[in-house]
Amino acid sequence: MDDTEKIKLLCFPCAGASALFYSGWAKQMDEHIIVVPVELPGRGLRFKENLCEDLEQLIDSILDFVKAEIKDSQYALFGFCVASIMVYELYKRIADNNLREPSHCFLCAYPAPNLPKEDKPIKDMSDEELIEETLRIGRIRKEDLNDKEYLERFFRVWKSDCTIMDNYRFSYPICKFNCDLTLLIGKDDTLFAPAEAVEKWGEFTNGSSNKYIIEGSHDFIKTNVPAIIDVINKEL
C-alpha cells in the first residue's frame, strides 16, 4: 500500500477489556495508519450501558459507529482473542449490507470458529476456576487479586463476554473475507490458541493469509505490543 494513503485500523477489545487499551497505539503506528478503537457497551466510555447478551446484539451495538468510520475511508480490522470472532461476524454483516469491505484483517490468538470447542463453559466454572483461568491466560495478575473492586468490574465484563462466546454457534457455509488475513499467534500459547488452530483461519479468505509467531503466551497483546505494532506497520 502507498505510504501516503491513509487507512483506518478499527481495533476491537478482547474479553473483559475496553477499547481504551488501544489509546496509546497511535503514537507507535506509521503515519498513514489511523487507530480507531471500537468501544463495546458496558465498559470504557460506554460503561453506563448494559452489557450485551449475545453476539448478534453486540454487532448491532457497534454497527452504526462502524458504518460511519468506513463510509469514505480505506480500513482494516483488528481482533484479539474472542474479538476475532467479532470481526468475522461483523464482516458478514458488512458483506450482507453491501458496505465498503476491509482492505485487510488481523485475527489474533483465537482458533477458527468452525473448530470444535474444547474449553469448559464459563457458566459451569466455580469462582476458584474462573480466577485460575484468568491467571493462566494472563487476563489478570496475581497482585490484582487484592483489588476487590477491580476484580468485580473485570469479572462482570469478562464473564459476560465469555458467556457470549460459550453460546456462539458457527454456521456453515463459511463466509470468506475478500481481503488478505494476518494471523498472530503466541509462541507459548499452546493450550488456548495453538498455531494449528489459529492457522485454520486461512480457510476463511479468498485472499492470502500470513502468520506471525509472537514471543509470549496468550497474553502477548499485553506483554509484547511492539511486536504487534511492527507486524501491523509491515502489513499496512
Side-chain angles (χ1 to χ4, degrees), residues 139-140 144 147-155 222:
R139 293 299 297 118
I140 61 172
D144 293 330
D147 189 339
K148 303 301 182 184
E149 184 177 349
Y150 167 78
L151 284 180
E152 182 178 350
R153 293 196 309 269
F154 169 77
F155 276 117
K222 295 168 63 177

Side-chain angles (χ1 to χ4, degrees), residues 16-178:
S18 163
L20 294 174
F21 174 85
Y22 297 110
S23 59
W25 281 27
K27 296 179 181 179
Q28 305 174 64
M29 295 289 182
D30 288 346
E31 291 184 357
H32 69 287
I33 302 173
I34 303 169
V35 177
V36 181
V38 182
E39 192 58 278
L40 309 180
R43 69 207 80 194
L45 298 177
R46 302 180 66 180
F47 75 96
K48 292 184 178 180
E49 299 179 38
N50 293 329
L51 294 165
C52 294
E53 297 180 353
D54 55 50
L55 195 52
E56 183 175 357
Q57 184 185 28
L58 195 63
I59 300 301
D60 287 339
S61 74
I62 61 173
L63 192 58
D64 286 344
F65 175 85
V66 170
K67 284 180 178 180
E69 290 291 338
I70 69 177
K71 181 179 179 181
D72 299 311
S73 175
Q74 294 291 321
Y75 71 98
L77 304 175
F78 179 94
F80 190 91
C81 192
V82 298
S84 296
I85 305 296
M86 191 189 313
V87 166
Y88 172 66
E89 290 297 327
L90 173 63
Y91 176 78
K92 288 168 63 177
R93 194 77 68 88
I94 288 170
D96 288 344
N97 287 276
N98 296 313
L99 303 175
R100 179 192 291 266
E101 297 194 9
S103 301
H104 201 98
C105 287
F106 298 86
L107 305 174
C108 316
Y110 204 82
N114 58 337
L115 297 178
K117 295 182 180 181
E118 298 181 0
D119 291 339
K120 184 177 181 179
I122 292 296
K123 65 179 185 300
D124 296 333
M125 288 187 179
S126 65
D127 290 346
E128 291 76 15
E129 287 175 317
L130 285 172
I131 292 174
E132 182 180 349
E133 175 67 8
T134 50
L135 287 171
R136 181 178 70 84
I137 64 176
R139 293 299 297 118
I140 61 172
R141 304 163 298 173
K142 288 184 178 179
E143 50 265 40
D144 293 330
L145 298 178
N146 297 320
D147 189 339
K148 303 301 182 184
E149 184 177 349
Y150 167 78
L151 284 180
E152 182 178 350
R153 293 196 309 269
F154 169 77
F155 276 117
R156 172 178 168 270
V157 176
W158 188 76
K159 289 172 69 174
S160 174
D161 291 345
C162 291
T163 299
I164 287 174
M165 295 314 304
D166 285 344
N167 295 331
Y168 173 72
R169 296 294 180 267
F170 173 79
S171 59
Y172 284 96
I174 291 174
C175 176
K176 294 195 175 186
F177 293 92
N178 288 315

